[in-house]
Amino acid sequence: MFPKLLDDDVVFVRKEPVARSRQMVVVRINGQEGVSKYFHKRSDMVILTS
């Protein structure tokens, strides 16, 4: 999938209230540091993939 992040890439992040399916997002899981994932919404379920 694209965009593909490579070592030493710089990513600028803007906080948005809503994500669209198949969009790359930065999320915090269990209050830890942010990680980039692809967001997928299926009916009442959210799936985050690498």
Side-chain angles (χ1 to χ4, degrees):
M1 283 190 171
F2 288 95
K4 184 173 182 175
L5 301 177
L6 303 174
D7 288 343
D8 297 324
D9 281 353
V10 176
V11 178
F12 293 91
V13 178
R14 177 179 58 211
K15 187 175 181 177
E16 295 284 340
V18 178
R20 296 183 312 273
S21 194
R22 294 180 286 153
Q23 184 176 30
M24 181 182 276
V25 298
V26 175
V27 296
R28 290 179 64 188
I29 301 173
N30 296 328
Q32 299 297 315
E33 292 183 17
V35 294
S36 61
K37 298 287 180 182
Y38 287 98
F39 175 88
H40 304 275
K41 175 104 168 142
R42 300 218 170 94
S43 58
D44 63 343
M45 184 178 3
V46 170
I47 300 169
L48 300 172
T49 59
S50 297

